[in-house]
Amino acid sequence: MNLETFKHFFYRMPVVVRLILSVLVVMMLFGTLIRFVEPQQFPSIFDGVWWAFVTGATVGYGDYVPLTVPGRIIGIFLILSGGGLLTFFLTTFAAKTINHESDLSEGKVAFKGKNHIIVIGWNERTKQLVDMIAEKDSNQEMVLVDHTLSKLQYRHYPVHFIHGDPSEDAVLVQANIQDAQSVLISSDVTIEERKADINTILTTIAVRGNNQDIPINAEILTISQVENAIRAGADTVVSLNDFMSTLFYHELFHKQDTRPFETVLNLLNDQQFSHIKLPEELEGSSFKKAVPFFLENQELLVGVIRENDWLMNPADVTLESDDTLIILSAWQ
């Protein structure tokens, strides 16, 4: 390897690696040199290297000391060169640590973990979602992708922040989309609804293009764009306006002494819905007779899905083999 090739290779390495190699080479050089200058004071090269590190770091244990004039001259050069090199290494390492923390908060560091949840879009809804996930499972890793934030401190929110446009492949690669568990795309309510939905659909296309199998949950504001979001690859489309309009309707026309919003909120916070195929032993049974079957396992049968029709708490329905049951159970 000629000098130019070595320089090309050496200066392409990270600065901390270069410093570590430089420190090792300098200390090995001085340790070997002092061993041959004063072999009786330094019985082995390792003893010389140990002395070089201790002297260069200005610790000075005194277990090995050069006694001759040439040995002490070597010690002077070691203090002048090696001491400065070690000090420079420590300050550079500290600066790199601070810069890395700054890059993390500014969303410049790629995520290397697996089985994480990617949350796209930072708003009050996703803030609360992050808090809920952290409360339920503190070990669940989350990655936030957003282009409007300039900085997000990890100590404030337990997410790995990636700054950038989520519809760009390079940004999704930084979020390690290939190894993610699921994706939530939240709408930007600060812009016009149709434009927000178009952005959501573009992001859905980008996510699906980078990972064909990942579950995508997309938030859509206008009814006309729900089908487009599904065509783009969204597995679940949440129509925020539909949900809120229904809640408003219940708040306006509910029965006296009822609190629909608080009831739904507490229900979803403590319980989860699941869809299961009809157990064979319940085939041909009535909906009413099937309810006790699930109550034994602390589960509540609330409805049936039959040929895309949702039958919630039906009065009198005979269960069929192709039915999907809607079950309410506690979070595990």
Side-chain angles (χ1 to χ4, degrees):
M1 180 184 294
N2 58 38
L3 181 60
E4 290 300 320
T5 304
F6 173 77
K7 287 168 59 178
H8 179 74
F9 174 76
F10 182 75
Y11 286 108
R12 288 174 65 90
M13 292 188 294
V15 63
V16 174
V17 177
R18 296 203 307 267
L19 278 172
I20 291 175
L21 291 177
S22 299
V23 169
L24 290 176
V25 170
V26 170
M27 295 304 148
M28 287 290 293
L29 176 64
F30 277 101
T32 304
L33 189 59
I34 198 66
R35 162 71 177 89
F36 287 105
V37 171
E38 296 194 14
Q40 291 185 349
Q41 274 299 104
F42 300 91
S44 67
I45 292 179
F46 178 78
D47 294 326
V49 172
W50 165 254
W51 168 80
F53 271 101
V54 170
T55 304
T58 67
V59 175
Y61 282 124
D63 49 352
Y64 294 99
V65 180
L67 299 178
T68 65
V69 173
R72 290 177 177 178
I73 291 174
I74 292 174
I76 292 172
F77 280 107
L78 172 61
I79 293 171
L80 292 175
S81 58
L85 189 61
L86 281 173
T87 303
F88 184 58
F89 165 72
L90 294 175
T91 55
T92 302
F93 185 79
K96 289 290 291 184
T97 302
I98 295 173
N99 289 338
H100 182 72
E101 184 177 353
S102 177
D103 289 342
L104 276 174
S105 65
E106 294 175 5
K108 298 178 181 178
V109 180
F111 183 76
K112 303 297 184 182
K114 295 182 178 180
N115 298 321
H116 52 290
I117 296 173
I118 298 179
V119 179
I120 296 177
W122 190 239
N123 49 53
E124 193 60 34
R125 301 184 305 284
T126 51
K127 286 179 186 177
Q128 294 186 23
L129 173 64
V130 166
D131 290 337
M132 290 176 65
I133 295 175
E135 183 181 350
K136 296 287 185 182
D137 185 3
S138 59
N139 295 321
Q140 176 63 60
E141 293 189 287
M142 293 173 281
V143 175
L144 169 70
V145 181
D146 189 272
H147 68 280
T148 61
L149 280 176
S150 59
K151 184 178 290 188
L152 184 68
Q153 297 290 346
Y154 181 83
R155 62 178 179 269
H156 296 158
Y157 294 98
V159 295
H160 184 105
F161 173 46
I162 300 293
H163 179 268
D165 187 343
S167 64
E168 296 180 0
D169 290 347
V171 175
L172 294 176
V173 169
Q174 275 193 299
N176 196 13
I177 189 68
Q178 284 293 340
D179 297 320
Q181 176 181 322
S182 60
V183 175
L184 170 69
I185 305 173
S186 178
S187 290
D188 185 357
V189 295
T190 64
I191 61 178
E192 192 266 328
E193 289 184 345
R194 182 176 177 83
K195 184 177 180 181
D197 286 345
I198 291 174
N199 291 342
T200 298
I201 291 170
L202 285 175
T203 301
T204 303
I205 293 172
V207 171
R208 182 58 69 208
N210 282 273
N211 190 328
Q212 292 293 320
D213 302 319
I214 191 168
I216 301 176
N217 306 281
E219 182 183 14
I220 292 294
L221 300 178
T222 57
I223 299 298
S224 60
Q225 296 301 321
V226 171
E227 288 299 324
N228 287 332
I230 295 174
R231 294 190 191 102
D235 297 284
T236 302
V237 176
V238 178
S239 180
L240 181 62
N241 289 338
D242 266 0
F243 182 71
M244 292 307 300
S245 297
T246 304
L247 278 181
F248 288 152
Y249 179 84
H250 278 266
E251 285 291 343
L252 290 171
F253 299 103
H254 64 77
K255 294 181 179 180
Q256 192 174 5
D257 299 327
T258 311
R259 296 180 177 178
F261 182 80
E262 288 85 352
T263 302
V264 172
L265 189 64
N266 283 281
L267 172 67
L268 296 179
N269 188 50
D270 295 332
Q271 303 284 316
Q272 64 174 326
F273 288 100
S274 58
H275 295 175
I276 65 170
K277 288 296 182 181
L278 178 71
E280 293 183 0
E281 55 266 44
L282 294 180
E283 187 175 342
S285 300
S286 66
F287 181 87
K288 183 178 180 180
K289 291 183 178 180
V291 171
F293 177 85
F294 293 98
L295 285 176
E296 292 180 0
N297 296 320
Q298 302 297 314
E299 297 174 331
L300 181 63
L301 177 62
V302 295
V304 180
I305 303 175
R306 177 179 296 172
E307 297 178 354
N308 294 324
D309 290 331
W310 292 59
L311 310 175
M312 305 301 295
N313 192 24
D316 188 16
V317 169
T318 301
L319 301 178
E320 300 176 359
S321 59
D322 293 332
D323 287 343
T324 298
L325 304 183
I326 305 172
I327 306 297
L328 188 63
S329 59
W331 286 100
Q332 300 297 324

